[in-house]
Amino acid sequence: MNLFSDIKTVVLEALEALVEAGRLPAGLDYGAITVEPPRDPLHGDMASNAAMVLARAAGQKPRDLAEALAGQLRAEPAIAAVDVAGPGFLNIHLSPNKWRGILPVILQKGADFGRSEMGQNKRINIEFVSANPTGPLHVGHTRGAVFGDALAALLDFAGFQVTREYYINDGGAQVDVLARSVYLRYLEANGRAVSFEDGTYPGDYLIPVGEALKDKYGDSLVDQPESAWLAELRLFSTNAMMDLIREDLAALGVKMDVFFSEKSLYGTGKIEAALAVLKDKGLIYEGYLEPPKGKRPEDWEPRKQTLFKSTEHGDDVDRPVQKSDGSWTYFAPDIAYHYDKIARGFDGLIDVLGADHGGYEKRMKAAVRALSDARVPLDIKLTQLVRLFKNGAPFKMSKRAGTFVTLRDVVDQVGADVTRFVMLTRKNDAPLDFDFAKVLEQSRDNPVFYVQYAHARINSVLKKAAAAGIACDPAHLRGADLSEIAHASELAVLKKLAEWPRLLELAARHHEPHRVAFYLYDLASVFHGLWNKGNDLPELRFLQESYPQRSAGKMALITAVSIVISNGLGILGVTPVDEMR
RNA sequence: GCACCCGUAGCUCAGCUGGAUAGAGCGCUGCCCUCCGAAGGCAGAGGCCGCGCGUUCGAAUCGCGCCGGGUGCACCA
């Protein structure tokens, strides 16, 4: 149930009636017509631009057309009043009963209220995190993980079939570095003195891996040449790192459906097959690249390489898939990986990447467009940097020293719920300030707290109501008398609740889960406002001990708020709390 | 030099496929607890929406060109 689309349907029917009456030409394009909440509530409950959008094609003045439409709409029972304003807006006022009607629906649908058919069960693959398997996840990955997971939940709620996927970069040279670093920790576990030079990972997290290796092999690998152990250690180490990463993700409440190994693309003909597809389309050739202008590397020399003609599909320059020595660039397995996703039958692909991968966007989109003949859209969401603060002071992160701030550091200090909510209070493409002290503060400028507080307050009232003998289960409240829900502050809450299905679809369409976080903040705000109105106006208090039947309607209202908060938080992956501590 | 992202109140940021008098929090000023959780609410002050052209009935939103900040730019992923 989406009141806005309901009313839009009513508007479209009114237009058809005008066509039949010969008042409007047939065949007009209704595509641009909207029915939205007006920015200023004084303008009514809903505003439509129908008259202005159609005026030109209909050869009429917007206001004249608006008046005609208004006449039609006034006959509708759900509509209390319509007026024409400004250049030709239709301002529609719904009857309070229409608004109240949202409550039984929410109570009946419960956790499914807002769930949409928009996605039509289309299959979407969301690839996110995909951190190199060389160490624990850090704060940057955390943002990507939270964003990807929330986006997945959002699309699921909007009616898509979603697959959460992690691409393991276990094929490249960084895995050799990892294996050598683990070997050093292994020697250390066998009592050897070791030093970590440049080109190795010095982090403590490899110590247990070295010990585990010793448990498995004793000292049999000590003093052996690299050729004797490298292959085995690559596997052993990446497995250990992926276990670590899985635990990190679990601590944040993220569960992947698929872990896809880059390595599985090598030696299986998959890369060759994907490139063959591109070659058949004439998009692969041998050639030379121009040096980048303005910032010419000192050691530039022209090299003959195998190139993908990504410029055919919107990229700025063609991109190498094969190095001059014949080995693959990283781009080649990435092409094969995306080809694999297309072959698995997804209707849409989403890659969530760190902002430093911005330069990668066009070439990957070009590849997907070419490989799928433009059938499968690829959306790339870049998550900007997280700036860490502690009590307002910047918090330095130094990878060289091996002391970077990990996902675990963050989750252990502030908890998964707070981490997730805070990371979703910014658009993905805006940088995010994360202050360890501030996010735990219990005040209005902490959105996590503010939303949770609303939920806790409702729970508190419902408990008191139950103690006072008022039945508060949704099934009971569905039949409650709502006629006394009439104050402007109460209607404001109803209207905000009614926005939820519409907001959800917008957020899903734009792939923007942060809109859910901002909506919840707004909803909490109108609720807190109504709560405090009870200070001045006793009849607005939720608990009306001397009038149990009046209380029932109010219980229905706040239960509905609680349901929508739960549903929204559920998408963000945050657990609603019943009481503040 | 090129590409991508950002530029909105003193600060941090929302702003819906273009819509009416541009919003919130913090900070500042002043109010509201005999009353369901004041961990809250109400009100006030504070804006050339970076600049300029253009498209449109209508632009913070779309297009082009500038300015400022960030990121990335062959055989690293």
Side-chain angles (χ1 to χ4, degrees), chain A residues 162-234:
Chain A
V162 181
T163 298
R164 293 168 167 85
E165 186 153 325
Y166 187 118
Y167 180 58
I168 309 170
N169 286 110
D170 53 6
Q174 77 281 0
V175 178
D176 289 338
V177 176
L178 173 72
R180 291 187 192 108
S181 308
V182 167
Y183 187 69
L184 290 174
R185 290 299 185 188
Y186 165 76
L187 293 180
E188 200 175 49
N190 278 288
R192 301 293 180 96
V194 296
S195 66
F196 289 85
E197 291 151 19
D198 281 357
T200 54
Y201 301 127
D204 290 347
Y205 57 87
L206 292 180
I207 293 174
V209 183
E211 281 165 359
L213 198 60
K214 183 192 167 199
D215 291 343
K216 186 173 178 186
Y217 287 99
D219 61 0
S220 64
L221 300 181
V222 177
D223 294 329
Q224 295 293 311
E226 187 171 290
S227 58
W229 48 259
L230 186 65
E232 165 62 11
L233 255 70
R234 282 175 61 106

Side-chain angles (χ1 to χ4, degrees), chain A residues 267-290:
Chain A
T268 55
K270 289 194 170 183
I271 295 175
E272 292 79 357
L275 293 178
V277 173
L278 295 178
K279 191 159 196 168
D280 283 349
K281 297 176 191 298
L283 295 172
I284 298 286
Y285 68 102
E286 302 284 322
Y288 298 86
L289 283 177
E290 294 288 314

